[in-house]
Structures are given as structure tokens and as C-alpha cells.
Amino acid sequence: MPLGNVTGIGWRADAARRDGVVHARVLAALSASLYVDAAGEVLWIGEREATPHARAIHVAAMPEGCKVGARVSVAVPRGLVAWRPADGPATAEAARALRRGAARLGARAATLGPPRGFGGWLAGAPLAFPLQTAGGRADTLARACAADDPPRAAEAATALLGLGPGMTPAGDDFVGGAFFARALLARTGACDAAGWRDAADAVRAAAARLTHPIGAALLGDLLVGEGWAALHDLAAALARDDEPAALEAARRLTRLGHSSGWDLLAGFVAGARG
């Protein structure tokens, strides 16, 4: 099934093109998006207004009737520039600003709207089913990040993988948000970069057996500091001490999925501690 009217594409999706076309097999068909496999690379097809991501292909109108296993092809217009996140914080001062801003953001979580998923943990509210017993695991990961203890963080993260329903379980997103923050901080020299790379490798290996392949692919990106545009925008705004822009990016992030954005935000704030 050919899909036309491509309006945007992420750099990983763009790299899957062959002679200007992405050929793929549908892995999951959701109400407003498709997850597909393009020669072993998990990609995501969504509507024009969807949040940019390295694996995303945006189309003017989503097709109807796509089923799991169906073959689709996406013709990418010549000259369409692939989305790639801007570089993250690069200096020690930017890292300090990110940490300060993340702490303030955590304290203001209630102003972002009704929390969902691990957003309850961030706002200090009881976690709802099926996360009601996961608060202690989130605390353990947050403490490991604050202590710059990558082995303990990898152990705590593994205990959260696969927790919750959906293609990207809440536990995966919380872990991803935390390791995203650590990856950005590591680039500035603000934490044990080698130790966090080893921890990320351990979490990636565990995810292969503990969570859905789609979730594992998206988590793998977060482990190395790549994610949704709103998450990158949030980190950039915090690093330059721009609180209004950070709050706007956080609000956009919380609108991602049913609870994914809140889970990512809570994990990010936890990971920025230290």
C-alpha cells in the first residue's frame, strides 16, 4: 500500500530510504499512527502535526484499513530535510542550569495539568493501577542518579522495564527519560560518562527480553540521548535557564500518548538529579 503526501521525516527514518522510498511492514496499527519495520529498523508513521522524532514519518492524512503484516511504501519528496535534534547542553554551566531547572520543574509539576502515569510520582500523588506499587522503584532509580551510581541505576531501571500497558510501557518511558538526562549530562562531563554508557548497555540488553520490541527500540534511542522533539526542547530551554520555554516544552511533552509524555518528564526530572 503506497502512502503519499509526506510532510516530515526523522533522520533515522530518512536513512531507511531506498531510491527515495521507505518500504516497510506494519508491526502495529493504532488509531492515529502506524509502527512499521523497515529492513529491521522500527519506524513510526503519524499525522502532520505529530511530534518530530528520529524514527518518525509524518503524512498529511493517515491511511485507513492498514493491518498488522501489511506492506506499505512511503515515497519521500526530494529535498525534504530530515529532522534531527539540536545539540544538547555542552558546558558545565549549562549542565548546572539544566539540573536547577529540572528541580524547579519537578516542584511545579502540578501546574502542567492532571498527571498521568509516573506523573503522579513527580507530583507527589498516589500512583494509579497498574503502577501503584512502582513508586519505590522510581525512588531507587532517582536516588541512583542523584548519587551518580550507574550500576545501581541499571539495576533499578531493569526492575521498571515492561511495567504498564501499551507499545511503550510507562516503566520504559520513565527509565528512558532518566537515562536521556544522564546521557546529556555525561556529554558535558557532569557525571561518569563511561559508567553511564555501561549502564545504558545493560538496560538495552535487559529490554530485549523484558519489553515489547517497539518499546525497546524507542528506549534504545533515549539511552543515548535521543528522543521526541519536545523532550529535546525541554532540555535545551532548561540548559539556557529559560523557564517559560521550558514550561511550554514540558506541556507539549505531557500531551504525548496516553501517559508517555508524563512518564518521560518524570524520568527526566529524576535523571537530572545530582
Side-chain angles (χ1 to χ4, degrees), residues 10 15-16 23 37 49 62 97 103 115 130 137 140 143 153 184 186 206 210-211 223 229 241 250-251 263 270-271:
H23 298 280
D37 180 313
E49 296 80 11
M62 289 297 297
R137 301 181 216 179
T140 301
R143 286 194 296 267
L184 296 190
L210 293 175
T211 194
L223 293 173
D241 222 359
R251 290 189 180 96
D263 300 325

Side-chain angles (χ1 to χ4, degrees), residues 89-104:
T91 66
E93 177 52 39
R96 288 192 289 271
L98 186 152
R99 282 178 156 155
R100 291 193 303 267
R104 291 195 301 267

Side-chain angles (χ1 to χ4, degrees), residues 145-171:
C145 291
D148 199 22
D149 188 341
R152 186 153 62 100
E155 182 179 356
T158 300
L160 287 161
L161 294 180
L163 187 62
M167 296 294 171
T168 58

Side-chain angles (χ1 to χ4, degrees), residues 9-13 44 50-58 83 85 217-218 221-222 226-229:
I9 190 167
W11 74 266
R12 287 186 184 273
W44 178 83
T51 302
H53 188 280
R55 297 181 183 273
I57 300 173
H58 296 170
W83 177 84
L218 296 173
D221 296 341
L222 291 162
E226 287 190 19
W228 304 96

Side-chain angles (χ1 to χ4, degrees), residues 101-166:
R104 291 195 301 267
L105 184 61
R108 297 188 61 180
T111 69
L112 300 175
R116 298 185 299 276
F118 277 102
W121 176 88
L122 182 61
L127 291 175
F129 177 85
L131 306 178
Q132 69 272 25
T133 62
R137 301 181 216 179
D139 290 339
T140 301
L141 178 53
R143 286 194 296 267
C145 291
D148 199 22
D149 188 341
R152 186 153 62 100
E155 182 179 356
T158 300
L160 287 161
L161 294 180
L163 187 62

